[in-house]
Amino acid sequence: MEDEPVTPQPPTRRSKRARAQVRSAYFTRTDKIEDVLEEERGESSDDFEVPRRKAKRNKATEGASNLAAADLSLIEVIKGERKEIPDAVKRWVEQYERNQKSAMAELLTMLFEACGAKYRLQEEDIDETDVDDVVVALVNMARRGEVEDCQSSKRDFKNFKDNLEYFLDTLVSECQNGPLFDQTLFNQCLDYIIALSCTPPRSYRQMASLMGLKLVTSFINVAKILGSQRDTTQRQLDAEKKKKTEGPRVESLTKRLSMTHEKITKMEDLMRKIFEGLFSHRYQDIDPDIRMSCIESLGVWVLSYPSLFLQDYRAKHSDQKSNFDKRTDSNLIYFGWTLNDKSSSVRKASVLALQNLYEVDDYVPSRDLLTKRFYKRMIELADDIDISVSVCAIGLVKQLLRHQLVPDKELGPLYDLLIDDPADVRHTIGALVYDHLIAQKFNKTQSRSTGSDSDSSEVHISRMLKILKEFSADPILISYVIDDVWEYMGAMKDWKCIIRMLLADNPSAELDDVDATNLIRLLFASIRKAVGERIVPATDNRNPHHTKAQREMFESNKRDITVAMMKTFPQLIRKFMSDKDKVSPLVEIVVHMNLERYSLKRQEQNFKAILKLMKEALFKHGEKDALRSCVKAIKFCATESQGELQDFAQNQVKELEDELIAKLKFAIKNVMNGGDEYSLLVNLKRLYELQLSHKVPLESLYQDIVHILRNFRNIDDEVVAFLLLNMFLHVSWCLQSVLSSETVSEASLSSLSGKRDALLEQLEYFLHNPSKFHGDGGCKNQLAYRVCGILADIWCLFKRTKFALTKLEILGYSPDEFVVEKYWKMCGQLLNVSGDAEDEEGNKEYVEETNADAVMFALGKLVATDSVPKEHLAPEIISQLENCGTSVGEIVKHLLTALKKKGDISDILLEALKRAYQRYLVVVSSGNDESQSIKSFQECENLAARLSGSYVGVARNKFKAEVLNIVKEGINYAFSHAPKQLSFLDGVVLHFVSKLPAPDILDIMRGIERRTENEKTDEDPSGWRPYHTFLDTLRQKYLKNEAGKDGQEGTSVRRWGRRPHKNQNPQGKKLFDEQSSSEEEDSISGSDQAAGANENQEEDAPLNL
């Protein structure tokens, strides 16, 4: 039987500290603690003598005697090596059997020291000292700051925590043959542990909760052993009773069974005591680590000892039970509640515990009520803000589906995660989609069917096509879905099955044209995955690293793919050649094949047929994707094949070039004669894609292109754009030939120079005559984008300084300043085109080459490579930083980084700020709406804030001269037209002044005041208001800096590795009103205040360059 607890007089309880009703035997001491703390608040605990613990002795080194090890205290053993713990526990148990009081005093002292309090109980105080009085003394010690921070080092704390848990587990195991059941040892320990777990200091609650939860786990291990012994004894007793003979054997077994059952009951009573006294309150502690530990422990308990923790024993041991509890599954309700915890670690612990629980089929009946109430929340967690929680929640939903506990109509939001950004979430959802929708593992009728083809590749692929049909409008989304499911769906690697479905003469009614397109996309994406390529963009943009085994597997897959498609590939191309959506992914498959196998397998005729079909497909289509895929495939065959096959492929390429040039010449003549331009445009696109891969001889065609551009100015802008692009590519290939040749003739130099000049002539014509663009605004912009891009590339390729003082000096070129100004004017107009206007423009095929990003990239390249004088162009680019979109802004930031590496850029930054401010003055002088003026000035301020934000931290001292130059020259600019331009001071200069130290700020203040000694500022108060505002702000910043310096004098320097001083009376946080530990916690616990709370923060966020 348990010792009868001492019941104190009923105290007057505060309503805000009220608890749920529990057995008084477990909590009267805690109630008393709260009242005593209330009475002694603000007082010291002088009534308790807290003797100093003896100086800690050094740990026994290797080879020391057992006597030296025995001299170590329990806390020193725990802090030492793990291997010393079992011997220490055995010595302590022997001591307990000799002298209980002395051993108890040592064990309880260890519990207090584990919490960080150096409080020692004496042997003679064990019976006389009340638990409440000791805990009050411990709390007062914490209030005085006399508690050691156990978590100062995470690594040491982890070792200490592991050793402490090992000590407790070893102690319980060692005591199971005696002291464990004496109703004294662990009952007394639990009284202190439960009381400490309800105190305000967080360190006490953390360690007490750790010890209490671990003890339950250890008790369960003992109870399971006893349960096994009880079952064995019961079987033996039943066997003896069947003999129908009474005797000492039956009496002995009956007695043993009774004793074993009594021990199990005592174990369960100890578990209940901790559960009701500690867990039921700490699972909602303000500390997320404590809450997480509680939920993790409960998950272990439910699985390891379901006979106690899966039944609602609270109903058996309390007079009342709320209606809410009657509708829930015993202790599983705690998992449901903590699914909504604000801490991701607690939510994850709850999800993992439920996932482990649902994996056990025997517990299904006990989970029904929990599932019905919380399954929607479980599904919502699949889209949790924390990726690890989301991944675990998806695994939990799979378990729900396996038991058919979730209706399919609730899974719609889950499937949207197939195209989510985090790869872990996508792949986990892919596994769920495969199991539930494709393999249908959770369909009981399907799983019971035998002898059917439900698991065949064709069935799985058909189900996959139904999913892909939902994303048919966007091929990129289809790639995401395939990438998610590929790892789990073996049917995607069944190349022969996919090919058989595509080549079927009588395809099933379910496989329509959309499905055929998606199936080809699936085949292409699956092949790319099989050879180690990514089919969706990676977040890190790094090339994947593959092991030797992976590379060997990829090569093996290439061979398998080649063998599977060798004979049927020509049939596939021939069947789907006319469909532009199908031909592009289909022909590109050859890039991932092992062409050597064609020779080894004597399949040369199939290889030649593939090349001819791809050449035919090239002339059949005029779209970018189809053309680019065909060119890529043909080029691959011409370079990667061997022997006679390579000769044949190269001849096919030569024939392709000749045929294309002939078609272009005919199309140009047709246009000159007034014919249609479509044939010319399509063949120009084909030539453009071909020139992107290799050099095409255009000597005879180049002059025809120049002629048609000079003499036929009314050609459509899209045709002009591709004429210019092909000229540029030809000039680039010619330059590359010259640079790679050892000897260069004057004729070739003269020819290249003439071609370049002819191209520049046409580009500058459109630069000087933008009105010559034809078509609507969208088409005009498309040609303007091309002109800007090609001009930047030509200026960079033929930069004069690159060829100066060399034999190729004739090739050097530098544009005139007038041309650069015209160029910026056109670029500026394109940068001001809104994103919506860009989306509405035609020719979506080449949108990545004709948008604001491409224009800004061209500008940045010119400045970064010094191809044009940066003094004019760089300030214009930087001044547009606030007017452009996010992606364009990133390009400008990279340009700033490149310029900073080259030297001082203060003049460039100041000039950029001036030009932004001048745009504001233009808006003001125009007399337009005041809101436009406010917006323009705000853009100028934001630009100054972003540029000044790069001068923070170490950069303040490193680039102090630059900041000082911007400030001084900015002040000169503001006073050059005072008071008209004085708003430049508080709008721009002020952001940079804040980056200077106090002495420099004082000098600037004095200099500004001297400027206005002879000025009559009272005559125009509104005009001089920015000056006074600027000066007042400078004074405030100066005084603030000086005050900060005075406050730092006389203070000790904070050392590395030490925690800063905490606020003595910070505002406490309260999460649960009924929680006793949340009211005083933050004023007592020194481990949770943010380090450096009183440190000054930077006024401006840094510019991430």
Side-chain angles (χ1 to χ4, degrees):
M1 296 179 58
E2 296 181 2
D3 292 337
E4 195 67 20
V6 180
T7 306
Q9 294 296 324
T12 303
R13 301 291 303 278
R14 295 186 296 164
S15 59
K16 63 188 286 186
R17 300 288 288 272
R19 295 178 182 272
Q21 293 185 0
V22 292
R23 289 188 294 176
S24 60
Y26 296 153
F27 295 102
T28 53
R29 288 182 173 136
T30 303
D31 296 337
K32 182 177 179 181
I33 291 171
E34 295 175 355
D35 294 303
V36 175
L37 287 176
E38 188 67 21
E39 294 172 2
E40 296 190 358
R41 197 179 302 275
E43 299 179 0
S44 64
S45 57
D46 296 335
D47 296 338
F48 294 89
E49 182 179 352
V50 186
R52 291 181 177 271
R53 186 167 58 85
K54 294 181 180 180
K56 185 186 297 186
R57 302 179 182 179
N58 293 331
K59 291 191 299 181
T61 58
E62 186 176 357
S65 65
N66 293 333
L67 182 60
D71 289 339
L72 295 175
S73 65
L74 293 180
I75 193 66
E76 289 172 331
V77 172
I78 293 173
K79 290 181 178 180
E81 296 184 8
R82 185 184 183 94
K83 63 182 180 180
E84 302 291 341
I85 292 177
D87 292 337
V89 171
K90 289 180 181 179
R91 290 193 297 270
W92 183 90
V93 172
E94 293 172 356
Q95 180 187 357
Y96 181 82
E97 292 172 349
R98 294 193 304 268
N99 187 341
Q100 289 190 4
K101 292 183 179 181
S102 174
M104 280 300 303
E106 184 179 5
L107 181 61
L108 293 176
T109 299
M110 184 276 294
L111 297 182
F112 304 150
E113 290 178 331
C115 295
K118 297 180 180 180
Y119 185 94
R120 179 176 291 277
L121 274 179
Q122 301 300 329
E123 178 181 346
E124 57 273 11
D125 298 332
I126 291 296
D127 293 334
E128 300 175 1
T129 304
D130 187 70
V131 175
D132 305 334
D133 297 335
V134 174
V135 173
V136 169
L138 292 172
V139 172
N140 287 328
M141 290 178 65
R143 184 179 289 116
R144 295 193 301 269
E146 299 175 2
V147 177
E148 180 183 356
D149 185 4
C150 300
Q151 302 186 37
S152 57
S153 171
K154 290 185 177 180
R155 181 177 179 180
D156 293 342
F157 177 71
K158 184 180 184 303
N159 294 333
F160 173 73
K161 186 178 74 169
D162 293 342
N163 286 352
L164 179 59
E165 291 180 338
Y166 180 55
F167 175 86
L168 294 174
D169 190 57
T170 307
L171 178 63
V172 172
S173 177
E174 191 70 25
C175 294
Q176 63 180 319
N177 295 322
L180 182 59
F181 307 101
D182 65 0
Q183 297 292 315
T184 300
L185 171 58
F186 283 99
N187 273 294
Q188 194 167 4
C189 289
L190 293 185
D191 288 340
Y192 282 98
I193 289 175
I194 292 173
L196 285 171
S197 72
C198 298
T199 56
R202 185 172 300 194
S203 60
Y204 290 177
R205 298 199 317 277
Q206 285 178 333
M207 299 310 300
S209 300
L210 171 70
M211 291 185 282
L213 297 174
K214 180 57 182 177
L215 282 174
V216 173
T217 305
S218 300
F219 293 155
I220 288 174
N221 294 333
V222 174
K224 290 171 68 176
I225 295 174
L226 292 172
S228 177
Q229 294 175 358
R230 181 178 60 183
D231 294 340
T232 302
T233 304
Q234 184 67 58
R235 287 194 301 270
Q236 292 174 347
L237 181 60
D238 293 341
E240 290 294 329
K241 287 182 178 180
K242 288 180 180 180
K243 299 177 182 178
K244 297 182 180 181
T245 57
E246 296 292 336
R249 174 67 173 168
V250 173
E251 183 180 351
S252 174
L253 290 173
T254 302
K255 184 178 180 180
R256 187 196 306 172
L257 180 63
S258 176
M259 292 176 61
T260 306
H261 182 74
E262 182 180 354
K263 289 181 178 180
I264 293 175
T265 303
K266 290 179 180 179
M267 286 292 94
E268 292 181 350
D269 287 341
L270 291 176
M271 296 180 210
R272 292 190 184 97
K273 183 173 183 177
I274 297 176
F275 189 92
E276 297 183 5
L278 190 151
F279 175 88
S280 60
H281 299 282
R282 297 283 63 79
Y283 87 93
Q284 55 180 357
D285 195 278
I286 195 173
D287 189 333
D289 292 334
I290 296 177
R291 301 199 303 272
M292 180 184 68
S293 299
C294 289
I295 297 303
E296 286 179 342
S297 298
L298 181 59
V300 174
W301 303 342
V302 168
L303 289 176
S304 57
Y305 206 65
S307 61
L308 179 65
F309 290 100
L310 264 186
Q311 63 173 337
D312 197 351
Y313 60 79
R314 292 172 297 175
K316 302 177 182 179
H317 298 277
S318 60
D319 297 333
Q320 296 179 351
K321 188 182 178 194
S322 66
N323 291 331
F324 185 79
D325 286 341
K326 291 178 182 178
R327 293 182 283 108
T328 54
D329 295 330
S330 63
N331 299 313
L332 301 184
I333 188 61
Y334 294 109
F335 298 132
W337 284 335
T338 50
L339 289 175
N340 296 286
D341 196 281
K342 67 178 181 180
S343 172
S344 61
S345 60
V346 181
R347 297 195 303 273
K348 182 178 179 180
S350 180
V351 170
L352 287 175
L354 286 173
Q355 188 174 350
N356 294 332
L357 184 64
Y358 279 96
E359 287 179 355
V360 184
D361 296 338
D362 295 339
Y363 301 157
V364 172
S366 63
R367 299 172 301 210
D368 289 344
L369 292 177
L370 177 77
T371 305
K372 290 178 182 178
R373 185 167 183 82
F374 292 105
Y375 79 88
K376 291 185 178 180
R377 176 56 183 161
M378 297 175 191
I379 296 175
E380 289 175 358
L381 285 175
D383 196 16
D384 193 86
I385 191 173
D386 187 272
I387 295 177
S388 63
V389 176
S390 181
V391 171
C392 295
I394 296 169
L396 175 58
V397 174
K398 285 180 64 176
Q399 294 296 333
L400 296 179
L401 290 172
R402 185 169 69 89
H403 297 293
Q404 297 187 336
L405 297 174
V406 178
D408 286 347
K409 64 181 180 180
E410 300 287 349
L411 301 177
L414 222 60
Y415 298 145
D416 293 338
L417 299 177
L418 284 168
I419 54 176
D420 204 3
D421 283 334
D424 293 339
V425 175
R426 289 193 294 104
H427 292 156
T428 311
I429 286 290
L432 184 145
V433 168
Y434 173 73
D435 291 341
H436 183 53
L437 298 180
I438 299 175
Q440 297 186 357
K441 295 180 180 179
F442 308 140
N443 189 331
K444 291 184 179 180
T445 58
Q446 194 70 282
S447 62
R448 288 196 299 266
S449 63
T450 58
S452 66
D453 60 348
S454 59
D455 293 331
S456 69
S457 296
E458 188 169 346
V459 172
H460 285 188
I461 292 172
S462 299
R463 291 170 182 166
M464 182 66 177
L465 291 176
K466 291 180 180 179
I467 299 173
L468 296 181
K469 190 173 260 188
E470 300 294 327
F471 304 93
S472 295
D474 193 341
I476 296 178
L477 298 185
I478 288 180
S479 297
Y480 272 85
V481 177
I482 294 172
D483 181 69
D484 301 337
V485 184
W486 188 86
E487 181 180 352
Y488 314 100
M489 185 174 170
M492 283 195 194
K493 296 91 167 175
D494 193 344
W495 325 115
K496 293 183 179 180
C497 177
I498 299 175
I499 295 171
R500 186 171 60 252
M501 294 176 68
L502 288 170
L503 292 177
D505 294 332
N506 298 314
S508 61
E510 298 179 357
L511 192 65
D512 56 15
D513 185 67
V514 174
D515 290 333
T517 302
N518 290 336
L519 185 54
I520 291 177
R521 291 170 177 167
L522 184 147
L523 174 63
F524 178 52
S526 182
I527 287 175
R528 291 178 62 192
K529 289 282 290 181
V531 298
E533 282 197 6
R534 288 172 173 164
I535 62 174
V536 297
T539 55
D540 54 5
N541 293 323
R542 292 183 298 180
N543 293 328
H545 173 72
H546 298 302
T547 63
K548 180 180 179 181
Q550 287 176 321
R551 292 193 295 269
E552 291 175 352
M553 180 185 67
F554 297 152
E555 288 300 321
S556 175
N557 289 339
K558 276 188 177 183
R559 291 192 295 269
D560 295 341
I561 292 166
T562 306
V563 172
M565 301 195 65
M566 194 176 292
K567 296 180 180 180
T568 55
F569 199 17
Q571 302 175 40
L572 286 173
I573 299 178
R574 190 176 292 108
K575 181 175 181 179
F576 299 106
M577 182 189 298
S578 59
D579 193 320
K580 63 178 182 179
D581 293 327
K582 298 182 179 67
V583 73
S584 176
L586 192 58
V587 299
E588 203 168 334
I589 290 175
V590 74
V591 177
H592 308 291
M593 295 170 65
N594 187 342
L595 300 184
E596 185 181 0
R597 308 300 292 180
Y598 278 92
S599 298
L600 297 176
K601 296 290 184 179
R602 302 294 181 89
Q603 296 293 325
E604 292 87 350
Q605 295 303 318
N606 282 326
F607 177 81
K608 295 177 180 179
I610 292 171
L611 271 173
K612 293 178 180 179
L613 289 169
M614 289 190 294
K615 175 184 170 184
E616 183 180 347
L618 178 69
F619 285 110
K620 189 178 285 291
H621 296 281
E623 297 79 13
K624 171 191 167 185
D625 292 338
L627 293 176
R628 190 158 292 182
S629 296
C630 289
V631 170
K632 183 178 180 181
I634 294 172
K635 181 66 176 177
F636 178 81
C637 291
T639 55
E640 298 299 325
S641 56
Q642 297 177 358
E644 295 180 0
L645 296 183
Q646 187 176 47
D647 294 339
F648 178 82
Q650 291 175 351
N651 288 334
Q652 287 294 309
V653 173
K654 183 66 173 63
E655 292 177 8
L656 171 62
E657 294 171 355
D658 295 340
E659 186 175 352
L660 182 57
I661 292 173
K663 287 178 177 290
L664 277 168
K665 287 185 175 182
F666 179 80
I668 289 174
K669 290 180 180 179
N670 187 42
V671 171
M672 290 179 179
N673 294 329
D676 186 46
E677 299 174 359
Y678 176 76
S679 177
L680 177 59
L681 175 62
V682 171
N683 285 292
L684 284 172
K685 286 184 178 181
R686 292 168 183 155
L687 179 61
Y688 173 67
E689 295 296 337
L690 202 60
Q691 284 202 95
L692 287 175
S693 65
H694 64 277
K695 181 181 180 181
V696 179
L698 298 181
E699 305 299 334
S700 60
L701 185 64
Y702 194 85
Q703 295 304 321
D704 293 341
I705 295 176
V706 173
H707 177 74
I708 194 173
L709 283 173
R710 284 176 178 171
N711 299 302
F712 296 87
R713 297 294 185 184
N714 58 344
I715 302 177
D716 184 78
D717 285 347
E718 189 175 5
V719 177
V720 173
F722 278 97
L723 286 169
L724 294 173
L725 283 171
N726 280 290
M727 290 178 67
F728 164 71
L729 289 177
H730 179 67
V731 170
S732 301
W733 281 113
C734 291
L735 176 62
Q736 194 271 340
S737 298
V738 169
L739 295 177
S740 60
S741 300
E742 296 181 359
T743 58
V744 182
S745 63
E746 293 185 5
S748 59
L749 289 178
S750 177
S751 173
L752 176 57
S753 178
K755 292 177 181 178
R756 180 205 62 194
D757 293 341
L759 176 58
L760 286 172
E761 176 190 347
Q762 299 304 316
L763 292 170
E764 291 180 6
Y765 169 81
F766 291 105
L767 192 65
H768 298 315
N769 302 280
S771 60
K772 298 298 183 179
F773 295 149
H774 298 89
D776 56 14
C779 292
K780 287 183 179 180
N781 286 339
Q782 292 297 314
L783 181 54
Y785 284 125
R786 293 297 191 184
V787 170
C788 290
I790 296 173
L791 268 175
D793 288 333
I794 284 292
W795 290 347
C796 290
L797 286 175
F798 292 91
K799 184 174 63 172
R800 188 182 298 278
T801 56
K802 183 191 300 184
F803 300 101
L805 304 179
T806 68
K807 296 180 180 180
L808 306 179
E809 189 171 3
I810 188 176
L811 297 179
Y813 177 81
S814 180
D816 297 333
E817 184 176 350
F818 172 72
V819 175
V820 175
E821 291 178 357
K822 285 282 188 178
Y823 179 79
W824 164 249
K825 184 177 180 181
M826 178 178 287
C827 291
Q829 292 174 351
L830 294 175
L831 289 173
N832 290 328
V833 175
S834 65
D836 294 337
E838 283 185 357
D839 294 339
E840 293 174 0
E841 292 172 1
N843 198 359
K844 299 292 184 180
E845 291 180 322
Y846 298 93
V847 64
E848 71 278 0
E849 303 173 18
T850 55
N851 54 23
D853 292 358
V855 173
M856 185 56 74
F857 185 79
L859 289 166
K861 182 165 55 176
L862 288 173
V863 173
T865 59
D866 295 321
S867 299
V868 297
K870 63 184 178 183
E871 288 73 17
H872 172 75
L873 207 52
E876 291 287 6
I877 296 172
I878 298 171
S879 69
Q880 296 290 330
L881 185 59
E882 283 300 307
N883 298 331
C884 54
T886 304
S887 57
V888 177
E890 289 297 321
I891 298 174
V892 179
K893 291 178 183 179
H894 286 293
L895 174 62
L896 279 170
T897 303
L899 292 176
K900 271 192 172 184
K901 292 179 180 179
K902 294 184 177 182
D904 189 345
I905 62 170
S906 58
D907 293 336
I908 295 176
L909 297 184
L910 180 62
E911 188 63 28
L913 293 166
K914 288 180 182 179
R915 296 189 185 185
Y917 184 75
Q918 287 167 0
R919 288 197 295 268
Y920 158 72
L921 294 179
V922 171
V923 174
V924 173
S925 62
S926 65
N928 292 334
D929 187 9
E930 185 178 355
S931 62
Q932 294 295 326
S933 301
I934 296 174
K935 179 182 178 182
S936 180
F937 188 75
Q938 186 65 45
E939 290 176 352
C940 187
E941 280 189 311
N942 293 340
L943 177 63
R946 294 182 71 173
L947 295 179
S948 64
S950 60
Y951 298 103
V952 294
V954 179
R956 285 190 175 191
N957 297 326
K958 183 178 181 181
F959 301 103
K960 176 184 172 182
E962 293 187 20
V963 178
L964 205 56
N965 181 53
I966 293 173
V967 171
K968 290 181 178 180
E969 294 301 323
I971 293 173
N972 292 337
Y973 173 75
F975 279 95
S976 62
H977 293 85
K980 179 181 177 182
Q981 296 180 175
L982 288 178
S983 58
F984 190 77
L985 292 175
D986 61 327
V988 174
V989 178
L990 187 60
H991 293 281
F992 290 89
V993 175
S994 63
K995 310 302 178 186
L996 295 173
D1000 291 324
I1001 295 178
L1002 182 61
D1003 292 341
I1004 292 169
M1005 287 169 47
R1006 291 171 179 171
I1008 292 178
E1009 289 173 345
R1010 286 195 296 268
R1011 285 177 178 269
T1012 57
E1013 289 178 352
N1014 300 323
E1015 296 287 346
K1016 297 180 180 180
T1017 60
D1018 296 336
E1019 295 181 356
D1020 187 5
S1022 60
W1024 287 90
R1025 185 178 296 114
Y1027 160 76
H1028 294 295
T1029 302
F1030 178 71
L1031 202 58
D1032 291 341
T1033 306
L1034 287 187
R1035 290 194 184 99
Q1036 293 175 7
K1037 290 184 178 295
Y1038 175 75
L1039 294 175
K1040 181 179 178 181
N1041 291 342
E1042 287 298 311
K1045 290 172 60 178
D1046 294 341
Q1048 293 175 1
E1049 293 178 1
T1051 61
S1052 59
V1053 178
R1054 185 158 68 104
R1055 300 179 185 275
W1056 287 106
R1058 296 186 61 183
R1059 300 165 71 87
H1061 295 291
K1062 310 291 190 242
N1063 256 346
Q1064 296 301 317
N1065 295 297
Q1067 182 67 35
K1069 297 182 291 184
K1070 192 160 69 172
L1071 181 61
F1072 300 98
D1073 291 338
E1074 71 274 16
Q1075 183 174 309
S1076 65
S1077 61
S1078 63
E1079 294 189 1
E1080 301 179 29
E1081 172 194 349
D1082 288 338
S1083 62
I1084 295 177
S1085 176
S1087 62
D1088 293 304
Q1089 298 297 327
N1094 297 324
E1095 294 180 1
N1096 292 330
Q1097 302 293 324
E1098 298 290 348
E1099 297 181 3
D1100 299 301
L1103 179 64
N1104 297 320
L1105 296 178

